[in-house]
Amino acid sequence: MTRNRMLDRGAMAFLIVLIAIGVTVPLLNLMLPPSSPFHVPTYLVALFGKYVCYGLLALSIDLIWGYAGILSLGHGAFFALGGYAMGMYLMRQIGTRGVYADPILPDFMVFLNWPELPIYWYFFDHFWYAAIMVMLVPGTLAFVFGWFAFRSRVTGVYLSIITQALTYALLLGFFRNDFGFGGNNGLTDFKDILGFNVQAQETRAALFAASCAALAVGFVICRALVTSKFGKILVAIRDAEARTRFLGYRAEAYKVFVFTLSACMAGVAGALYVPQVGIINPSEFSPANSIEAVIWVAVGGRGTLTGAVIGAVLVNYAKTTFTTGMLAPYWLFVLGGMFIAVTLLLPRGIVGTWQYLAERRRQATTARAAPMPPPSQPASRAAE
C-alpha cells in the first residue's frame, strides 16, 4: 500500500479519535452522576455538538477550496438552508403546544395573520421529507449556481464575491416577514424531534453522537474522493485549470459536482446544528459567518481535511473563551490577529505545517539510511 491510500495512519487515527469521542462523551453524560469528576454536563454536550457541526461545515469548505481551488465566501448559506429545513420540521412538531395552540400554523404565522400554511411548508411534518430537503435544497441551489458560474469560467476573487452576494441576498430575503420563515426572529421554541423531547438529556447525547457520525461519514467520503483519480484531477484543476482543459477534462463538470457535494454536506451540518442550539434565524446567512468558516480552514490547514475540522474546533473554542467576560469586545481583534499570524507564520496551517515537517524528517531519515554508492573506478589506461 502507498501512503496515498484512502485511509492512511493519520486518517485512521482521526476517525478512531472521533468515534471514541462520539461514544465516550454521551456515556459520561448519561451514565455518571453529576457529582462525579468525569461527568460531562449536558450544556457541554450541546456545545461540543455545535463544534462538531462546525467541523463538518469546515470539511465541506476544505473539499472545494483546498482541493479544487474554489474559494466560497457564501458557504454559510447552504449551512443555513439545511438548518431551516430541519427547523421547519421541528416547528411542525409543536402542534397545539404553541402559544396560539394552532394545530397547523406555527406561532409566527398566526401572529402575522397568515390564512393558511404555504405550500412549501407541506410535508415538513414528516422527518423523511425534511431529511431529503436538508440536502436537496442546498444541493439544488449549489448545482444551479455552479452550472452558470463554472460554465462561464468565473474563478478567483470574482467567484468569491458572487458567492458572498448570494448569501447576502438570501439574508435579506429571509429577514422579510412575508417570506414565510419567521422573519428576523427565525424559527425557535422547538419541542420534539422524532417524538423525543429535544431538550432532554438523552436527546442531547443522541444528537451529539449523530453529529460525530455525520462528520465521520463526511470525512470518509471526502477522503475517498481526494485520494482517487477524481481527486487528482481536482488538484490539477486547482493548480492549472487551463492546462487540465487542454488535456481533455471538462473542468466545469468536476467543479459543479464537488461544489454540489460540498453544499449537501454543509446542509447536513446545519440540520444537526439547529436542534442542538434551539434556533435558526437569518443571521446564519451573514457573510461574516462564511468568512469566519474560511478562517477555520486556513488556521487548521487548507487541503488536509483533518486540519479543517481541528481549525473549526480550535477557533470556536477560542471564540467561546474570548466572548465571555471582559474579553468579549476584543474577540474580533483576536480572530483577525490569529488569521494574520497563521498567514505569515504558518501558511500551511497547523496540520499542514506539521505534515510538511514530518515529511521533511522522513526524507532526511531515508536519505541517511540509504547505502552510499560505491566510488567510481577510473577507466583503465589504454595500452600504448
Side-chain angles (χ1 to χ4, degrees):
M1 280 285 192
T2 64
R3 289 188 57 83
N4 289 327
R5 65 186 187 273
M6 190 186 88
L7 293 178
D8 58 10
R9 286 186 297 177
M12 283 298 299
F14 175 80
L15 282 177
I16 291 172
V17 171
L18 179 60
I19 293 172
I21 292 174
V23 173
T24 304
V25 170
L27 289 179
L28 294 179
N29 172 252
L30 297 174
M31 299 299 181
L32 297 181
S35 59
S36 172
F38 299 104
H39 174 75
V40 178
T42 302
Y43 80 91
L44 282 182
V45 174
L47 180 63
F48 295 159
K50 185 173 73 170
Y51 291 167
V52 174
C53 294
Y54 285 153
L56 183 56
L57 173 60
L59 186 68
S60 70
I61 296 174
D62 192 27
L63 177 63
I64 58 172
W65 184 33
Y67 293 91
I70 303 171
L71 177 56
S72 171
L73 296 182
H75 236 57
F78 307 123
F79 179 85
L81 287 173
Y84 264 97
M86 178 57 67
M88 292 166 73
Y89 162 78
L90 295 172
M91 291 296 291
R92 294 299 308 275
Q93 302 306 300
I94 297 176
T96 56
R97 291 173 293 175
V99 175
Y100 297 99
D102 192 294
I104 303 296
L105 297 179
D107 283 339
F108 74 89
M109 290 187 182
V110 178
F111 178 77
L112 295 173
N113 296 319
W114 284 67
E116 59 183 1
L117 192 71
I119 190 172
Y120 47 85
W121 276 77
Y122 289 2
F123 304 112
F124 270 100
D125 52 335
H126 302 289
F127 180 81
W128 63 268
Y129 181 80
I132 293 174
M133 291 297 107
V134 161
M135 293 186 289
L136 183 61
V137 174
T140 301
L141 177 62
F143 178 83
V144 173
F145 174 86
W147 176 263
F148 287 104
F150 299 136
R151 281 179 61 87
S152 302
R153 301 191 181 183
V154 180
T155 58
V157 65
Y158 302 103
L159 179 66
S160 300
I161 292 173
I162 293 175
T163 57
Q164 196 170 56
L166 173 67
T167 188
Y168 189 69
L170 290 171
L171 169 70
L172 296 179
F174 275 77
F175 258 118
R176 295 173 59 92
N177 287 329
D178 58 357
F179 219 55
F181 296 102
N184 62 325
N185 292 323
L187 309 178
T188 188
D189 194 29
F190 308 133
K191 306 294 185 184
D192 296 336
I193 180 170
L194 290 173
F196 298 96
N197 183 359
V198 76
Q199 300 292 338
Q201 183 179 10
E202 295 80 3
T203 308
R204 295 284 190 180
L207 287 170
F208 175 82
S211 301
C212 291
L215 178 57
V217 171
F219 177 79
V220 171
I221 292 174
C222 292
R223 182 71 186 175
L225 203 63
V226 302
T227 55
S228 65
K229 179 183 177 181
F230 185 95
K232 292 179 174 60
I233 297 173
L234 286 181
V235 173
I237 294 172
R238 179 195 68 189
D239 295 339
E241 182 172 343
R243 184 175 299 178
T244 306
R245 291 180 184 275
F246 181 76
L247 292 174
Y249 293 102
R250 296 183 58 189
E252 64 275 6
Y254 287 88
K255 294 169 76 172
V256 167
F257 174 81
V258 75
F259 191 72
T260 303
L261 175 62
S262 175
C264 292
M265 292 173 55
V268 172
L272 290 167
Y273 169 85
V274 166
Q276 297 185 81
V277 300
I279 189 173
I280 178 71
N281 58 38
S283 65
E284 295 297 336
F285 287 101
S286 172
N289 290 356
S290 298
I291 296 173
E292 187 175 331
V294 171
I295 295 177
W296 305 340
V297 179
V299 170
R302 173 190 172 194
T304 61
L305 296 183
T306 55
V309 178
I310 293 173
V313 174
L314 289 179
V315 173
N316 280 284
Y317 177 78
K319 183 177 182 178
T320 302
T321 303
F322 279 92
T323 52
T324 56
M326 297 177 58
L327 300 176
Y330 308 104
W331 160 244
L332 291 179
F333 296 100
V334 174
L335 181 64
M338 186 185 305
F339 184 63
I340 294 172
V342 168
T343 302
L344 296 178
L345 304 177
L346 298 175
R348 294 180 176 85
I350 297 172
V351 174
T353 301
W354 181 84
Q355 290 179 346
Y356 173 75
L357 295 177
E359 182 67 23
R360 290 285 300 271
R361 285 197 302 268
R362 186 173 60 257
Q363 291 177 353
T365 303
T366 303
R368 287 195 301 266
M372 295 295 293
S376 58
Q377 299 295 331
S380 59
R381 183 181 301 177
E384 296 180 1

